[in-house]
Amino acid sequence: MTNAIHRPQWVPVSGHRLRVIGVHFDVVRIEGGRGEAVAGRLIEVTDGDAGPVVLEQVGFRWTYFLLRPGTVHRHAWLPGVQRFGLNARDMRTVTYVGIPALDGNTFPLRWYSEPTPETPYVDPDSLLTAVRTAQADREEPHRE
């Protein structure tokens, strides 16, 4: 779904651009199929309004969940979940993430879920619930 009416200033008009993490948003990053499973669960948990989630379509296929600046380090994330944001202990580290435009060719990035006026950022508590649920699904023995 394209939400061209609502385009935060950090979302480029076309293509994709690198943005500094911790300025406009913090990021939780999860690799591959696990990240996509968490994104799917997040959309379920939030009744379809998950907030901004970006997916890499090649390579490690990282899924990036964009949280309100200053929130990522306030939560205890499960192993395998990487967090990025400004940290008072390490202010010298600068990290970037690619952000796609809402329309047009944005390969190799795409929106899994776009920011909306109601949900400009992913809610960390909803994301934690989605991470735990997806993890429990992975650990459940397969039944035949």
Side-chain angles (χ1 to χ4, degrees):
M1 176 169 107
T2 299
N3 187 6
I5 295 171
H6 176 71
R7 186 183 65 79
Q9 58 104 5
W10 44 267
V11 174
V13 174
S14 64
H16 49 79
R17 302 288 180 274
L18 292 177
R19 300 291 188 228
V20 177
I21 294 174
V23 175
H24 301 290
F25 45 77
D26 286 354
V27 170
V28 166
R29 179 174 87 166
I30 305 173
E31 185 178 1
R34 181 179 180 205
E36 291 181 59
V38 170
R41 287 293 185 181
L42 179 63
I43 287 172
E44 289 177 24
V45 167
T46 59
D47 294 324
D49 195 11
V53 179
V54 174
L55 177 67
E56 279 184 343
Q57 299 179 78
V58 296
F60 291 108
R61 293 181 25 243
W62 293 106
T63 303
Y64 298 88
F65 302 87
L66 283 53
L67 285 64
R68 185 172 305 283
T71 60
V72 75
H73 293 293
R74 296 180 190 163
H75 297 82
W77 301 96
L78 296 177
V81 175
Q82 299 177 352
R83 61 187 182 166
F84 301 94
L86 291 181
N87 187 341
R89 287 176 271 159
D90 189 13
M91 296 296 287
R92 295 175 292 170
T93 302
V94 177
T95 309
Y96 297 87
V97 66
I99 301 296
L102 296 174
D103 291 312
N105 182 7
T106 63
F107 188 82
L109 304 172
R110 74 170 177 86
W111 288 103
Y112 197 98
S113 174
E114 296 177 2
T116 66
E118 297 78 23
T119 313
Y121 300 101
V122 171
D123 174 64
D125 294 325
S126 297
L127 180 55
L128 280 166
T129 298
V131 167
R132 290 181 182 127
T133 303
Q135 183 68 27
D137 289 349
R138 285 178 49 149
E139 294 173 354
E140 185 175 294
H142 296 287
R143 298 179 190 190
E144 294 184 25

